[in-house]
Amino acid sequence: MFKKLLSTLTVMLFVFGMNANAQDLHKANLGKVTPKFAGKNIVTSKINLAESEFWTGFWDGIINEYTGLVGVQKIPMDYACAIKYPAGAAITDGKTIEGIKFSFPDSKYITNVKVFIATELPPTTDKANITCQDVMEITDILNTKDQFNEVRFEKPYKVDPSKPVFIGYSFRVTDGSTNAENYPIMIQQGEDKKDAMWLNFGSNQWEDYYGSGFGVLAIQVLMSGSFEDNNVTIAPDLGSVTGTKGSSDLPIVVENSGIKGIESITAEVDVNGIKTEVESKPETPIKGIGDKYAFTAKINTPEETGVFDFTVKITKINGQVLSKDIIGKGKMVILTRFAAHKVLFEEFTGMWCGWCPRGMVAIEKIKDVYKDKVVIISAHKDDALSCTDYNKIINSFAAGFPSACLDRTITTDPYDGTEFSNFGIKLDIDKLLATIPVAEIVSKPFLEGDILTANAEVNFLYTGDASNYAIGYVLTHDGMQDESWSQANYISGDNSWVDLDPLFEPWAKAGENVSGVVFNEVAITANGIKSGIEGSIPVEVKEETPVIHSVEFDLSKLNNIQNRENLNVAVILFDTKTGAVVNSDIMSVKGGTTGIEEIEDECENVIETARYTVDGRRIITPEKGLNIVKYSDGTVKKIIVK
């Protein structure tokens, strides 16, 4: 699916900056600029390397169909790009930064190129606190194959392990009108990697685009230095994890920094004074410097619920005792039992967006596969269904249109997911469904007159500190339709989409602008949607003792409601420290408690979920003749459209 997009789009996505001063970031296909590089192409070094020197980076140095371009589609424009290695990173431990490798799609209108090293991001690269130097001779990949800019720093930098380090380059685009000028930054599309894309668009403000769905910057760093035979690093802050009383599984991730790699690893885990020694062996030895090894340790835990400090100390690698302490620390929440996790799926879309039918197909398939295990909210931008309360969320999290944010931890394409495979979003959802929440949350709406009371019941599965949790609410609307609305549709006339998934067939057969589309799961108002309502959860909670909270929505003040019986209330439990969603639930108003005693026509309580022609062909808008309509209550009716 993703390869198909690369071959058909010039501009596919744009991302809103994470603050008001950032420019909009756009993406283009490298193939539109350099189609001759469609195959895999490993970039080799032109610099003569000393014995202790090596190229490394988040980018693997390969040009292929996943190589892409990003830019703000504005000329002239100043750009700065950087990658970051955190303090104590395995790859920089005891190393010296000697140089940098990067390139441009076309260097014709590129000027003022500089490279820099800094321990904190400078407002402009010439203010970098370690080094900044001009690059007088530059090249590109459009005119000469494999011509990457490889620059040795005049002043190499011995990395201070107590500080992070940023390495990058900056430049100015002076003129031009092609993709090479509008999107001059080279990236590798695919999995995002933390600290692999820091960008500045002439605003003196840097933005971290991790989680945006763009992938990583095409930058490599020349380092020198030696490695110990047996060594690893572990994150100093292991965050918060869940476990059960008496014993539990603990996921552990280490990063190799030893020449001999990892064939076995021994660690000591201490949870509130209860220690467990664990040993693990990877099925295949971990060899690469910076390669990660993740394993699950069976550990002993306290016999009571609560929040406890824990440490993981790496004691041996390949049976050899380490010469220094390697320790990570975190919090473990011991639960009385495990609860089901419902994933929050927020789709960012718009009627003007021709690729957004992909998101509608994704939602249709997700509902079929997962039923009520996924809470779906569709947030529109700049159209008749826009929700003002969601604008800041879209600006902060949207990785383009369409895109999806899962539990506020993964932002990606709503259909392909982070793996960029056919319905690859399933892999992301499955991963999150496997995580264990600290609490259950249930939506119990109550409608009386114009007042819709959104009730949330939260059942924590431990006793202790809950000061970092809060509840948010979203009111969504199903079955929204208007004759004046039309959905842009770039899938029109392209049956190759149907080969990927039959659910695309109605869109392939429809026109480029489709009227009569029914929009479901539409966010129309919200409260506490950023990270929850302050004070909605008490500082201390008791296991299996529900916390009740509610807010009211005055429906008479909402002029975008078409049918009150088609409203749903989503309740969301946030971790206010991380911004992540812990758990969520959604309930229709008609499925909750209602003050309405009589409903004259039960048909008002149901919505259309699918429509077919008499020969079984799926359609997205009514067609003349006999239509077969399926409703949300399971009923099917035959309707004649004149």
Side-chain angles (χ1 to χ4, degrees):
M1 172 69 75
F2 192 70
K3 294 180 183 178
K4 173 180 175 55
L5 291 182
L6 286 178
S7 65
T8 57
L9 304 184
T10 299
V11 181
M12 172 180 146
L13 303 174
F14 67 96
V15 165
F16 291 89
M18 296 182 188
N19 62 53
N21 296 316
Q23 300 282 340
D24 291 345
L25 183 64
H26 301 249
K27 180 162 67 176
N29 174 20
L30 178 63
K32 292 285 185 180
V33 181
T34 56
K36 65 181 179 180
F37 293 130
K40 182 179 291 188
N41 192 3
I42 299 177
V43 179
T44 56
S45 179
K46 295 181 294 183
I47 292 179
N48 293 322
L49 302 184
E51 185 176 347
S52 64
E53 292 182 335
F54 59 95
W55 287 108
T56 186
F58 302 102
W59 171 58
D60 59 13
I62 297 175
I63 300 175
N64 57 18
E65 67 269 30
Y66 294 112
T67 306
L69 307 172
V70 295
V72 297
Q73 214 172 7
K74 181 181 178 181
I75 297 171
M77 175 54 64
D78 293 303
Y79 292 93
C81 319
I83 61 174
K84 171 188 173 184
Y85 291 107
I91 195 67
T92 58
D93 187 19
K95 306 302 183 298
T96 298
I97 296 174
E98 305 280 356
I100 183 173
K101 177 190 295 185
F102 61 96
S103 191
F104 302 105
D106 190 348
S107 59
K108 184 177 181 180
Y109 296 110
I110 300 295
T111 64
N112 197 32
V113 181
K114 300 177 184 293
V115 293
F116 71 95
I117 307 172
T119 57
E120 55 186 39
L121 286 169
T124 56
T125 54
D126 58 353
K127 290 182 170 58
N129 64 349
I130 301 298
T131 189
C132 176
Q133 70 186 60
D134 294 323
V135 181
M136 306 309 296
E137 296 184 8
I138 58 173
T139 184
D140 55 56
I141 63 171
L142 176 62
N143 301 303
T144 308
K145 185 176 180 180
D146 282 4
Q147 287 301 301
F148 272 67
N149 300 289
E150 297 182 6
V151 182
R152 279 191 178 275
F153 288 108
E154 296 169 357
K155 297 179 180 179
Y157 170 61
K158 175 77 172 181
V159 177
D160 182 341
S162 68
K163 298 179 180 179
V165 59
F166 295 88
I167 309 101
Y169 66 100
S170 63
F171 60 96
R172 180 174 177 81
V173 181
T174 60
D175 204 346
S177 59
T178 68
N179 281 2
E181 289 85 44
N182 281 292
Y183 317 102
I185 302 171
M186 289 187 56
I187 62 170
Q188 183 177 25
Q189 300 167 110
E191 179 186 359
D192 286 6
K193 297 178 182 178
K194 188 172 178 56
D195 292 322
M197 186 177 287
W198 287 83
L199 300 175
N200 184 327
F201 310 129
S203 63
N204 296 339
Q205 292 188 331
W206 289 84
E207 303 293 343
D208 180 4
Y209 279 85
Y210 173 64
S212 67
F214 282 133
V216 304
L217 288 171
I219 290 177
Q220 287 201 321
V221 180
L222 182 62
M223 292 188 190
S224 65
S226 60
F227 293 90
E228 295 183 31
D229 286 346
N230 302 288
N231 200 20
V232 298
T233 62
I234 190 170
D237 183 0
L238 300 177
S240 179
V241 299
T242 54
T244 51
K245 294 185 291 185
S247 67
S248 189
D249 291 334
L250 175 67
I252 298 175
V253 180
V254 297
E255 189 174 296
N256 177 50
S257 58
I259 295 174
K260 292 186 177 180
I262 305 173
E263 295 185 3
S264 68
I265 185 168
T266 304
E268 180 184 83
V269 181
D270 185 327
V271 184
N272 199 39
I274 301 174
K275 297 181 180 181
T276 309
E277 185 176 81
V278 296
E279 184 178 2
S280 181
K281 297 180 179 181
E283 293 184 6
T284 303
I286 308 299
K287 293 296 186 183
I289 301 296
D291 286 354
K292 293 181 179 180
Y293 175 46
F295 62 98
T296 300
K298 195 75 173 179
I299 62 169
N300 299 317
T301 57
E303 291 290 347
E304 68 271 18
T305 66
V307 182
F308 304 95
D309 293 328
F310 79 94
T311 61
V312 177
K313 179 181 179 181
I314 309 301
T315 57
K316 296 179 183 178
I317 302 293
N318 305 325
Q320 299 298 310
V321 177
L322 300 180
S323 59
K324 59 182 179 181
D325 289 341
I326 300 172
I327 298 175
K329 299 180 179 180
K331 297 284 186 181
M332 179 172 288
V333 184
I334 303 297
L335 308 176
T336 183
R337 61 181 173 83
F338 288 155
H341 180 191
K342 291 187 179 182
V343 174
L344 178 66
F345 181 99
E346 294 170 293
E347 180 212 22
F348 306 124
T349 186
M351 296 182 196
W352 47 266
C353 166
W355 294 113
C356 285
R358 290 165 40 75
M360 299 174 76
V361 168
I363 288 175
E364 183 178 354
K365 197 160 187 173
I366 288 168
K367 290 193 291 187
D368 181 59
V369 172
Y370 292 102
K371 305 299 189 281
D372 64 348
K373 293 181 180 179
V374 178
V375 173
I376 298 172
I377 296 172
S378 182
H380 284 243
K381 176 73 175 179
D382 295 334
D383 66 15
L385 296 177
S386 296
C387 174
T388 302
D389 297 312
Y390 246 98
N391 283 342
K392 289 184 179 180
I393 302 301
I394 295 175
N395 291 351
S396 296
F397 289 95
F401 288 82
S403 63
C405 188
L406 279 65
D407 277 350
R408 298 284 173 89
T409 59
I410 298 173
T411 303
T412 185
D413 181 88
Y415 188 88
D416 291 337
T418 57
E419 295 295 322
F420 297 107
S421 58
N422 196 24
F423 196 53
I425 195 69
K426 182 178 187 300
L427 300 174
D428 297 309
I429 294 173
D430 288 345
K431 177 182 178 181
L432 292 172
L433 283 174
T435 61
I436 302 167
V438 299
E440 300 164 315
I441 186 167
V442 179
S443 175
K444 295 183 176 180
F446 178 90
L447 177 62
E448 186 169 19
D450 290 332
I451 303 302
L452 173 58
T453 303
N455 298 295
E457 181 178 299
V458 187
N459 187 31
F460 284 88
L461 303 177
Y462 70 95
T463 297
D465 179 24
S467 58
N468 60 312
Y469 298 110
I471 306 169
Y473 301 83
V474 183
L475 191 58
T476 70
H477 198 316
D478 291 329
M480 301 195 78
Q481 191 174 28
D482 191 283
E483 291 182 358
S484 66
W485 300 343
S486 64
Q487 174 65 53
N489 177 29
Y490 294 163
I491 299 171
S492 174
D494 190 349
N495 288 324
S496 62
W497 290 88
V498 184
D499 296 334
L500 294 168
D501 193 321
L503 290 176
F504 283 109
E505 182 176 9
W507 295 100
K509 292 183 179 299
E512 294 183 358
N513 287 282
V514 186
S515 300
V517 175
V518 177
F519 296 93
N520 296 318
E521 295 89 25
V522 179
I524 60 172
T525 190
N527 191 336
I529 190 55
K530 182 178 180 180
S531 57
I533 299 170
E534 186 176 356
S536 55
I537 296 293
V539 174
E540 295 283 333
V541 294
K542 186 176 181 181
E543 65 184 73
E544 304 288 6
T545 302
V547 174
I548 308 298
H549 186 266
S550 65
V551 296
E552 292 183 348
F553 295 100
D554 186 347
L555 302 188
S556 67
K557 295 181 179 180
L558 300 175
N559 57 15
N560 52 353
I561 297 177
Q562 294 184 340
N563 186 343
R564 293 184 177 186
E565 294 301 309
N566 289 347
L567 296 177
N568 314 286
V569 177
V571 292
I572 304 165
L573 181 63
F574 290 96
D575 184 331
T576 58
K577 287 185 178 179
T578 65
V581 171
V582 177
N583 215 342
S584 58
D585 189 40
I586 192 167
M587 174 65 73
S588 65
V589 170
K590 61 179 178 285
T593 308
T594 175
I596 301 174
E597 296 181 356
E598 295 183 3
I599 300 174
E600 295 181 0
D601 185 356
E602 290 187 357
C603 290
E604 293 183 1
N605 292 335
V606 298
I607 60 171
E608 177 182 323
T609 59
R611 183 179 288 257
Y612 303 86
T613 60
V614 69
D615 59 358
R617 178 170 55 87
R618 179 74 185 275
I619 54 178
I620 52 178
T621 56
E623 290 189 4
K624 288 184 178 181
L626 184 63
N627 288 196
I628 300 172
V629 183
K630 183 178 180 181
Y631 293 93
S632 57
D633 64 353
T635 60
V636 177
K637 293 185 178 182
K638 295 180 181 180
I639 298 175
I640 295 178
V641 179
K642 297 181 180 181

